[in-house]
Amino acid sequence: MTAPALSYAHGASPTPLLGETIGTCLERIAAAHPDREAVVSCEQGVRLTYAELDAAVDRLACGLLTHGIGAGDRVGIWAPNCVEWMLVQYATAKVGAILVNVNPAYRTHELAYALRQSGVQLLFSASAFKTSDYRAMVAEVTGELSGLQDVVFLDDVAWGALAATPVDPDALAGRMASLAFDDAINIQYTSGTTGFPKGATLTHHNILNNGFFVGELCSYTEADRICVPVPFYHCFGMVMGNLAALSHGACVVIPAAGFDPAATLTAVAAERCTSLYGVPTMFIAMLADPGFDGHDLSSLRTGIMAGSPCPAEVMKRVVRDMHMSEVSICYGMTETSPVSTQTRKDDPLERRVGSIGRVGPHVEVKIIDPVTGRTVPRGETGEFCTRGYSVMRGYWEDPEKTAEAKDPAGWMHTGDLATMDAEGYLNIVGRSKDMVIRGGENVYPREVEEFLYTHPDIADAQVIGVPDEKYGEELCVWVQLRPGAAELDAAALREFCTGKLAHYKIPRYVRCVDAFPMTVTGKVRKNVMREESVDLLGLHDAAGVRTA
């Protein structure tokens, strides 16, 4: 009797991995396509060719050298999407500094932690974004950070001076020659199950190759123009966007500092973009924009939808109404650079709305029994694990958490529950960890719970994800109040959290209870809480939305 096929697949590929640093890649592409546009920032009115981009990066890189930044030093960037963000990304890569991405939505509590834990020595920051006064927040936390030596605001004279540093070709070439593509080059913070974010540490090899192969599966060439409204601080923007474009000589179009549906549609039409990125909520907003029919989107061919499950009907409208016949679904996590699986342009639409695709080139995936660790037969549910060039070095200065996530054989344990079918297509069916994905942002309930414990009236709090038609999931918190405390409603809790937690971590729903549903061993039954919340909040329609 033949044993059933196991849930294992590897991405055999005739295309070799890139064995170079990001800085070397930029110089190679700039030499091959000097007059091709590399970046267009619509809101800033800036256009740079690859020759101009490389020259600007060299000036800033030499500014970092004269500033005393060494290979392996940490340099932070706290800003929305702009040309300066991209210059910092590539300049730090050329000098071997580790870029620390700071989420533009962070508040002081989160900002201080990220800068302290990573040991940032130099921070580049916008002055403000939306309702956030970055200058005031930076001033509030700098006294706590002994390692932070300097802050440069992107609209100050200090930035202008650094960005205009005369190039010392010998010094820069000498630094670049000392770097290896396996060097750590980037730290991205993911919400932590222990209440604190973890710094996923990624190398040139991790993220350059991931961007390159995502671009390969989108059939990118130097003729492509990729509209990137997703944030650069996340892998979606800086890897799947910037590095996919860089490695193919394509152009990045930045529609605005933050996502705006009308600005994005205008940019696609005006710049004749061939590719458009977004999480499902962005595509939903663009399709619903009052001016949608007035934009000529016929230049679009492809794009990527990722970050959270996509409703099937939305995907069909993107293909039909936005001309994105080759649109791709990607699945991954920050710790894997990020993409592990991707749909292909020749996959039938049903596969693109009903799966997360197949394993990517040069990557392995398997589905295991979370208890025994054995690979399960195809069709059975288990934990999604992945291995290959894309898996992070580890969590910054946290070997214990690294060992929990990455086993001795090099497999990254994602915590997601998945299935693999006979043809190798995968589906995410749940999460063995408690992570909530709200509009593409990963939120670990424990981090929010830890913060809520500081509320004077809250004795205990349990945060769960509940279905939401717009964001995929929303946060709901069940709280036990201290004796004598007044009833707590969502508005009061939101007021307590505002300014201290990023907006996407603030619970939308609040339920005050005397006790939580518990197992006989004393564990909180969050699955029961979720089911009850769906009933109490009337979220059955949202729970029934079919997603890929």
Side-chain angles (χ1 to χ4, degrees):
M1 183 177 174
T2 307
L6 295 178
S7 297
Y8 167 83
H10 65 98
S13 174
T15 305
L17 290 162
L18 300 177
E20 61 188 354
T21 65
I22 293 167
T24 300
C25 181
L26 173 56
E27 294 189 346
R28 175 173 62 82
I29 295 296
H33 307 287
D35 301 323
R36 282 273 178 190
E37 281 189 334
V39 58
V40 175
S41 180
C42 301
E43 199 169 70
Q44 294 176 286
V46 174
R47 292 176 183 273
L48 295 176
T49 64
Y50 268 101
E52 291 166 338
L53 174 65
D54 191 38
V57 168
D58 281 355
R59 291 191 292 272
L60 181 57
C62 286
L64 293 175
L65 292 179
T66 59
H67 209 75
I69 296 297
D73 287 349
R74 273 78 66 208
V75 173
I77 176 80
W78 193 30
N81 289 8
C82 56
V83 170
E84 292 83 357
W85 209 110
M86 191 181 286
L87 294 179
V88 172
Q89 178 182 354
Y90 293 144
T92 50
K94 280 207 175 190
V95 303
I98 299 174
L99 182 68
V100 179
N101 301 5
V102 183
N103 188 331
Y106 271 6
R107 313 304 295 180
T108 51
H109 173 76
E110 299 145 318
L111 171 68
Y113 177 80
L115 297 180
R116 184 187 307 109
Q117 201 275 334
S118 61
V120 163
Q121 290 138 286
L122 168 64
L123 174 66
F124 289 105
S125 176
S127 288
F129 178 54
K130 294 185 177 176
T131 59
S132 296
D133 183 344
Y134 285 4
R135 284 182 182 267
M137 286 194 278
V138 168
E140 190 177 328
V141 303
T142 46
E144 311 169 29
L145 304 170
S146 57
L148 183 61
Q149 297 167 10
D150 202 0
V151 179
V152 174
F153 290 97
L154 299 178
D155 57 356
D156 275 2
V157 174
W159 165 264
L162 263 183
T165 303
V167 175
D168 182 338
D170 292 338
L172 186 55
R175 174 64 65 82
M176 288 181 66
S178 72
L179 307 178
F181 60 69
D182 283 327
D183 291 342
I185 202 65
N186 186 215
I187 294 174
Q188 298 198 31
Y189 279 91
T190 65
S191 292
T193 52
T194 58
F196 296 103
K198 297 169 292 190
T201 306
L202 304 166
T203 67
H204 296 269
H205 200 63
N206 287 151
I207 58 178
L208 179 59
N209 276 292
N210 204 258
F212 175 65
F213 281 103
V214 165
E216 286 287 285
L217 294 186
C218 290
S219 300
Y220 287 158
T221 71
E222 67 274 12
D224 278 292
R225 298 173 70 80
I226 308 167
C227 185
V228 183
V230 295
F232 286 167
Y233 83 86
H234 189 275
C235 273
F236 201 170
M238 72 164 282
V239 178
M240 298 155 71
N242 293 351
L243 294 180
L246 167 66
S247 55
H248 291 87
C251 178
V252 168
V253 175
I254 308 170
F259 174 65
D260 177 88
T264 303
L265 293 167
T266 299
V268 169
E271 296 298 329
R272 307 307 293 155
C273 293
T274 58
S275 178
L276 172 61
Y277 289 4
V279 298
T281 51
M282 291 180 176
F283 283 102
I284 291 167
M286 287 185 277
L287 289 164
D289 188 81
F292 179 82
D293 291 335
H295 296 282
D296 178 6
L297 308 179
S298 60
S299 59
L300 285 174
R301 165 182 67 83
T302 187
I304 294 175
M305 203 181 296
S308 62
C310 174
E313 292 309 309
V314 174
M315 185 70 155
K316 289 174 181 175
R317 282 201 64 198
V318 166
V319 171
R320 183 184 72 231
D321 300 342
M322 301 182 80
H323 307 281
M324 294 169 61
S325 61
E326 299 176 12
V327 65
S328 183
I329 291 283
C330 289
Y331 162 82
M333 60 192 305
T334 303
E335 290 90 335
T336 57
S337 302
V339 176
S340 296
T341 72
Q342 186 172 349
T343 60
R344 275 54 165 179
K345 66 180 183 181
D346 55 354
D347 281 337
L349 186 60
E350 279 308 307
R351 284 296 196 182
R352 280 185 275 159
V353 300
S355 80
I356 55 167
R358 289 169 286 160
V359 64
H362 299 287
V363 172
E364 295 174 275
V365 297
K366 66 177 179 178
I367 311 297
I368 66 165
D369 182 314
V371 177
T372 66
R374 294 190 177 279
T375 306
V376 301
R378 295 209 177 192
E380 290 190 12
T381 298
E383 185 184 14
F384 186 106
C385 298
T386 182
R387 179 169 69 177
Y389 75 84
S390 56
V391 174
M392 67 172 180
R393 284 269 292 266
Y395 294 117
W396 182 258
E397 293 191 342
D398 197 341
E400 186 178 320
K401 291 292 176 216
T402 301
E404 289 176 12
K406 205 174 141 184
D407 69 27
W411 289 97
M412 180 74 201
H413 291 247
T414 68
D416 285 333
L417 298 174
T419 61
M420 180 189 294
D421 71 12
E423 295 178 270
Y425 288 89
L426 293 114
N427 253 317
I428 301 299
V429 297
R431 286 187 290 279
S432 57
K433 299 175 184 175
D434 286 336
M435 186 175 72
V436 177
I437 303 180
R438 181 195 180 276
E441 295 282 2
N442 293 354
V443 183
Y444 279 95
R446 187 65 183 168
E447 182 186 0
V448 181
E449 289 160 3
E450 291 274 354
F451 175 74
L452 293 180
Y453 292 150
T454 66
H455 191 291
D457 292 336
I458 292 177
D460 200 357
Q462 294 292 329
V463 173
I464 54 172
V466 293
D468 184 79
E469 289 186 359
K470 182 177 181 182
Y471 294 107
E473 289 183 292
E474 267 284 10
L475 294 185
C476 173
V477 60
W478 289 31
V479 297
Q480 292 181 24
L481 297 174
R482 298 187 188 282
E487 191 79 354
L488 186 68
D489 62 16
L493 189 72
R494 192 173 298 115
E495 183 178 352
F496 177 76
C497 297
T498 299
K500 302 184 186 73
L501 283 183
H503 66 89
Y504 59 86
K505 298 177 186 175
I506 300 175
R508 178 176 176 181
Y509 305 107
V510 177
R511 185 179 181 210
C512 296
V513 296
D514 294 326
F516 303 128
M518 310 284 276
T519 66
V520 290
T521 57
K523 292 183 179 178
V524 176
R525 301 181 65 192
K526 288 196 171 184
N527 59 323
V528 173
M529 291 168 58
R530 186 178 188 277
E531 291 165 8
E532 288 189 22
S533 297
V534 168
D535 287 336
L536 290 166
L537 298 169
L539 301 176
H540 296 94
D541 287 346
V545 173
R546 190 164 78 92
T547 60

